[in-house]
Amino acid sequence: MATAAAASLVADASNGSTSYDRMKAIKEFDEAKIGVKGLSDSGADTIPGFFRHPQSSLSDLKPVRTSAAKGIPVIDLASLNDLAQRPKIVQQVKDAAKTWGFFQVVNHGVATSVLDSTLEAVKNFHELPHEVKSKYYKRLEFGGVVYTTNNDLYRSSAACWHDYIQAWLSPMPLNEEDLPEVCRKEVVAWSGHVKGVGEAVMELLSEGLGLDKGKFKELSFPDIRLFVGSYYPYCPQSDLTLGLTSHTDPGVVTVLLPNEVKGLQVRHDGEWVEIEPVPGGLIVNVGDLLQIVSNGEYSSVEHRVVANGSKEPRVSAIVFFNLYRWREGDVYGPLPELVSAERPAIYRDFTKEEFNSNFYSKGLDSKSLVDKIKIVN
């Protein structure tokens, strides 16, 4: 059934004729519940038309530099609790968050065996038979456990070549039984490990702003956590689409565990830089909310994933951290401690409703909320 649905979708869309009904094709694809993994497994050598991106988005797919050539920061956390060494680590994190918006951390305290088992569990879920996996397929933005493809499938101008499983870890406790058995134990374990890493990184980021190390925790910045297990299968026309379109993350901090298949690119100094995963490392990036509350001291940065032209799937386990307890009136903005006559606020306050509607009313994009609330003098 999955193979037949995939063949039909590809056949209907491959020529891009004037009679092609894009929304009809998207709906058929979504209702087939096969994901891009099903399209890839069909053996087709073309992709449906709604996955094709405009040439303007694809003209610079090859990165100019790699992290080895131009230092995406790799920060060693081994001496995190050494009072003599901690200020150096704080400065490294501050500099990376300001200039790159991205960095990798090593010696973070999570065993390699845990990293490997987490990625293997995500991979195992996505490679379940269609009839098993499709039971979890749904289009739901909030709450519970969801397997689907492209959270913005109906909102974006072009779909991207990836599937994912997501689970809200907090603030409401996750019902472990809702998770597929094939990855249940590993996702639950990863939730605890990544929470510790995220909180440690946020302490360093807080200190980098001259605040008490517990300030971000006090403000509930680690208290909403969303787990996403992404899967980027082989794409037969990887030069015509993207794995994930260029965007910035809306929240506070993102912690990403990748496998060895490259594809994540970061925009730096006007050029796309490919991140080479460091063995045993975790990738951390700044979200829009952190840029705003830091009054521009930290930078959320555009990033994307190129479509996978390799037969080996690209797999990642991601946790997005976001604040839970909004200030009175459900408004937020630059932290008062970071605003002064010498450095006035560069962003206005915004509401929780603005924050949510800005993300969920359109496809992924870059810094639209940041740009919207920036104060123009």
Side-chain angles (χ1 to χ4, degrees):
M1 175 185 171
T3 303
S8 174
L9 283 160
V10 172
D12 289 347
S14 58
N15 295 323
S17 67
T18 54
S19 62
Y20 174 57
D21 187 332
R22 180 176 181 274
M23 287 309 297
K24 178 174 178 287
I26 289 174
K27 191 170 186 294
E28 288 176 353
F29 167 67
D30 195 31
E31 291 178 349
K33 302 182 179 182
I34 60 173
V36 296
K37 176 73 162 55
L39 294 176
S40 182
D41 288 348
S42 74
D45 57 7
T46 58
I47 62 175
F50 58 87
F51 281 98
R52 300 185 183 209
H53 286 245
Q55 189 56 39
S56 59
S57 301
L58 305 171
S59 59
D60 58 356
L61 280 184
K62 292 184 178 179
V64 176
R65 300 193 298 253
T66 67
S67 59
K70 178 63 180 179
I72 288 203
V74 178
I75 300 173
D76 191 337
L77 301 184
S79 302
L80 187 64
N81 297 317
D82 184 331
L83 294 180
Q85 295 297 317
R86 189 176 177 94
K88 177 183 175 183
I89 299 173
V90 168
Q91 189 63 48
Q92 290 174 333
V93 168
K94 177 181 179 178
D95 291 344
K98 185 178 182 67
T99 59
W100 280 91
F102 269 77
F103 52 94
Q104 299 192 66
V105 293
V106 295
N107 294 319
H108 40 65
V110 184
T112 301
S113 59
V114 173
L115 306 181
D116 292 344
S117 64
T118 302
L119 289 172
E120 187 66 19
V122 173
K123 183 173 183 285
N124 288 343
F125 169 78
H126 285 286
E127 295 181 353
L128 285 172
H130 169 259
E131 58 271 18
V132 177
K133 191 170 54 174
S134 63
K135 295 175 185 176
Y136 297 93
Y137 192 98
K138 63 189 81 165
R139 198 149 291 283
L140 180 68
E141 301 281 16
F142 300 103
V145 175
V146 171
Y147 152 62
T148 194
T149 183
N150 287 256
N151 80 300
D152 59 351
L153 182 65
Y154 290 93
R155 304 192 300 261
S156 64
S157 58
C160 291
W161 201 260
H162 74 275
D163 298 329
Y164 66 92
I165 180 172
Q166 75 172 32
W168 289 91
L169 305 175
S170 65
M172 297 300 293
L174 172 67
N175 182 356
E176 297 178 12
E177 295 302 311
D178 289 343
L179 287 164
E181 187 176 359
V182 71
C183 61
R184 182 180 301 154
K185 179 180 69 174
E186 292 82 2
V187 170
V188 171
W190 183 240
S191 172
H193 288 296
V194 77
K195 180 176 183 287
V197 174
E199 288 183 349
V201 167
M202 278 189 248
E203 286 184 356
L204 296 168
L205 288 164
S206 184
E207 289 179 75
L209 295 171
L211 305 173
D212 180 81
K213 72 176 185 178
K215 183 65 176 179
F216 285 178
K217 189 169 185 177
E218 173 193 325
L219 295 170
S220 79
F221 284 5
D223 287 359
I224 288 184
R225 297 188 302 283
L226 173 65
F227 168 84
V228 174
S230 296
Y231 189 93
Y232 301 83
Y234 167 72
C235 179
Q237 293 182 305
S238 58
D239 58 334
L240 297 182
T241 189
L242 287 165
L244 193 61
T245 192
S246 175
H247 67 287
T248 53
D249 294 346
V252 179
V253 163
T254 304
V255 178
L256 182 149
L257 165 63
N259 72 348
E260 71 282 357
V261 179
K262 293 184 287 187
L264 176 61
Q265 297 180 353
V266 176
R267 196 160 185 83
H268 182 71
D269 288 344
E271 299 172 340
W272 286 106
V273 181
E274 186 169 72
I275 292 184
E276 289 192 37
V278 174
L282 296 171
I283 299 169
V284 179
N285 67 278
V286 172
D288 292 345
L289 185 60
L290 183 55
Q291 175 170 331
I292 294 165
V293 300
S294 71
N295 201 28
E297 282 297 310
Y298 296 146
S299 300
S300 66
V301 174
E302 282 183 75
H303 51 288
R304 68 185 183 186
V305 179
V306 298
N308 184 15
S310 162
K311 293 296 184 179
E312 179 69 21
R314 182 177 185 271
V315 180
S316 60
I318 314 157
V319 172
F320 298 93
F321 291 81
N322 209 347
L323 72 89
Y324 174 57
R325 190 174 62 252
W326 285 67
R327 296 190 309 206
E328 185 178 350
D330 274 352
V331 296
Y332 237 97
L335 295 178
E337 301 95 318
L338 304 178
V339 176
S340 64
E342 295 73 29
R343 185 167 176 77
I346 58 178
Y347 306 109
R348 66 168 173 82
D349 284 356
F350 60 97
T351 67
K352 184 178 181 179
E353 182 181 5
E354 276 185 285
F355 178 82
N356 287 330
S357 65
N358 185 73
F359 182 76
Y360 291 108
S361 64
K362 54 182 174 42
L364 285 178
D365 63 4
S366 299
K367 291 196 171 185
S368 55
L369 178 64
V370 173
D371 292 341
K372 187 183 299 181
I373 67 171
K374 190 169 185 177
I375 297 172
V376 179
N377 295 321

